[in-house]
Amino acid sequence: MDPTLEAQLAQVKPYEPWFIIMGVFVLFILLRVTRRGLRQRVDRIGYRLFGTRGLLIWFWLNAPGVVLHELSHAFVVLLFKPWGFRVTSITLFRIRPMAQVGSGGRAMRVNGPQSLQLGEVQYVRPPHKLMSHIGDGLSAVAPLFGGIGAVILLYWVATGYHIWDVHLQILRPGWPWWTLLFAPYLILTVTSELWPSHQDWRGARWLLSGLLVLLIVIALILWATNAVVFNAQLLLLASSVARRIDFALIVLLALDLAFLIVADILARLLR
């Protein structure tokens, strides 16, 4: 190795954990950018093939993700049935303008940039109770955890590896190759719909605010009592976790780029 390059790498080495941690945020932003670009190209293809009706193709492509999104909402509501929660309706595969929240309960929905919704779960629960706020918050963010769980499962189905295992091989030795024919598409649609909508985040605001305050208080207590000391060992532990998250995001980014290239070629051919 070139001595100059080796010396430069040695200077950067102490900052490597910070770069790994920052990579989580950078890769997440890049993933949002590529997904938006993919959406734009799919809309362009749909418009050129079917006119204004083609702008709905993106919604139908993400139908499996919508199902998981809405069922995640409904699953948490069912868990809170002992506290008076009750699902009143589940709507799937009906594209319509974004509806207002009804007086009978908060409406959970999947919103697109065009203010359309493809699915909705409505439920009722006793008002002004602590468990009601907790149930609202958990049901609101349920698609995020349901989607992450589905991605972990689908990645294992596709490759035979766990998504947090850093590796260079696409398939585990002896793993069937045909899983790559459907799993990447399902991962795409699940990740397109795992992020809670604006309405979902609004429903989770009380729970998330309370958890944030609680975490800050716990962190201050641990810091004041020296129970947790920010040192090199803690930094390495954080970077080790971040490295696995980086790998998962890189896999998703590579998948996005592959779909983006195909969609871009099709969009250019349909000019």
Side-chain angles (χ1 to χ4, degrees):
M1 181 182 293
D2 186 1
T4 303
L5 179 60
E6 188 174 356
Q8 292 175 346
L9 291 176
Q11 292 177 350
V12 173
K13 187 69 175 178
Y15 304 100
E16 182 181 355
W18 291 106
F19 290 139
I20 294 173
I21 295 172
M22 289 173 56
V24 174
F25 302 96
V26 173
L27 289 170
F28 180 78
I29 293 173
L30 290 176
L31 192 61
R32 299 284 287 182
V33 171
T34 55
R35 191 60 55 91
R36 187 178 298 113
L38 178 60
R39 164 73 189 276
Q40 291 172 350
R41 283 158 178 80
V42 170
D43 284 345
R44 194 181 307 162
I45 293 170
Y47 182 78
R48 287 169 182 167
L49 289 175
F50 306 106
T52 55
R53 291 183 302 173
L55 297 177
L56 302 179
I57 288 181
W58 178 258
F59 292 94
W60 292 115
L61 284 176
N62 289 322
V66 170
V67 172
L68 179 63
H69 185 113
E70 300 305 335
L71 292 183
S72 297
H73 285 313
F75 176 73
V76 173
V77 173
L78 291 176
L79 290 180
F80 278 79
K81 187 176 180 180
W83 291 276
F85 281 67
R86 180 170 57 87
V87 175
T88 56
S89 68
I90 299 178
T91 304
L92 299 173
F93 310 129
R94 184 176 64 185
I95 295 178
R96 61 180 181 176
M98 185 178 63
Q100 298 296 322
V101 178
S103 58
R106 195 172 63 82
M108 309 296 294
R109 59 178 58 98
V110 179
N111 295 330
Q114 297 175 320
S115 296
L116 299 174
Q117 65 180 82
L118 184 54
E120 180 183 61
V121 171
Q122 293 185 345
Y123 64 88
V124 294
R125 85 294 192 269
H128 311 304
K129 289 187 177 181
L130 176 61
M131 291 305 296
S132 296
H133 292 304
I134 295 175
D136 282 345
L138 291 178
S139 64
V141 299
L144 184 61
F145 297 101
I148 291 174
V151 169
I152 292 173
L153 174 62
L154 288 169
Y155 186 79
W156 175 80
V157 169
T159 66
Y161 292 105
H162 297 296
I163 197 168
W164 54 79
D165 294 334
V166 180
H167 56 86
L168 298 178
Q169 292 180 312
I170 296 178
L171 289 175
R172 181 185 293 275
W175 200 258
W177 61 268
W178 52 266
T179 56
L180 294 175
L181 297 178
F182 65 90
Y185 161 68
L186 292 177
I187 291 175
L188 176 72
T189 179
V190 166
T191 53
S192 293
E193 297 296 334
L194 67 81
W195 197 249
S197 66
H198 293 296
Q199 183 67 25
D200 294 338
W201 286 120
R202 188 167 178 238
R205 66 187 184 279
W206 294 113
L207 177 64
L208 296 180
S209 299
L211 288 177
L212 179 61
V213 172
L214 180 62
L215 289 175
I216 291 175
V217 171
I218 292 176
L220 290 175
I221 293 175
L222 293 176
W223 175 75
T225 58
N226 291 325
V228 174
V229 179
F230 188 81
N231 52 22
Q233 185 176 0
L234 182 61
L235 180 61
L236 290 176
L237 176 61
S239 66
S240 177
V241 175
R243 187 188 302 274
R244 285 161 173 77
I245 298 176
D246 284 343
F247 178 76
L249 292 176
I250 288 173
V251 171
L252 294 177
L253 184 61
L255 188 63
D256 264 25
L257 290 174
F259 280 107
L260 182 61
I261 291 172
V262 173
D264 188 69
I265 292 174
L266 291 176
R268 292 176 183 274
L269 291 175
L270 292 172
R271 281 182 178 178

